[in-house]
Amino acid sequence: MSLAALVGVFAAAFLSATLLFGLSEAVVISALQDPDLPRGLVFIVATFGNVSGAVVNFVLGRFFLRFEGRRWFPVSQKSRARAEAIFRKYGQPVLLLSWLPVIGDPLTLAAGLLRMPWPAFVLYVTIGKAVRYALLVWVFG
């Protein structure tokens, strides 16, 4: 088993959830091609990494919105406003879609901004992101 591969899976999944360039799907698919890596472990590491990245967005929304507009801030004001509108319209379960490109990461930021309860946030985000990686493992594993 390659620890470096698992660290790469975690890092790619984490970065992908923070709007940075992570390519988590490609890295997970690549890791699944290694016969020495248990598929379940790849799934767990990818899910944990991606949820951890979503937590960063939640915390930014909850405590650091005053830095919005700075180059390093992971969500633009326009994306945030769109995500807030979607979040307000559909409620907390919309976080099941937090894995989607473009809108998913701003949704996790909006959840923090709108003071969503922490347990519900973790539950919805984990389910959504776990389903995504479970499908990758099922199709490519």
Side-chain angles (χ1 to χ4, degrees), residues 12-140:
F14 180 88
L15 292 174
S16 291
T18 58
L19 282 184
L20 299 174
F21 194 66
L23 292 173
S24 70
E25 290 85 359
V27 173
V28 168
I29 292 168
S30 177
L32 291 170
Q33 305 314 304
D34 183 344
D36 295 329
L37 284 177
R39 306 300 173 249
L41 189 56
V42 171
F43 163 77
I44 289 169
V45 169
T47 302
F48 182 69
N50 212 237
V51 171
S52 297
V55 167
V56 168
N57 290 343
F58 180 88
V59 169
L60 285 172
R62 188 88 175 235
F63 301 108
F64 297 102
L65 191 64
R66 67 179 174 266
F67 296 113
E68 184 177 47
R70 302 230 176 141
R71 190 172 11 193
W72 58 266
F73 200 80
V75 177
S76 70
Q77 289 177 336
K78 183 178 176 182
S79 292
R80 179 188 54 82
R82 189 172 359 146
E84 278 185 65
I86 291 169
F87 197 91
R88 289 183 197 275
K89 182 175 181 178
Y90 297 105
Q92 295 175 358
V94 77
L95 286 174
L96 293 170
L97 303 176
S98 64
W99 61 272
L100 286 171
V102 181
I103 192 66
D105 300 330
L107 282 174
T108 58
L109 183 108
L113 178 68
L114 297 173
R115 306 276 189 227
M116 180 177 179
W118 174 251
F121 173 81
V122 171
L123 176 68
Y124 285 121
V125 169
T126 300
I127 291 170
K129 291 178 181 282
V131 168
R132 165 220 222 154
Y133 289 115
L135 287 172
L136 282 177
V137 170
W138 180 63
V139 171
F140 296 100

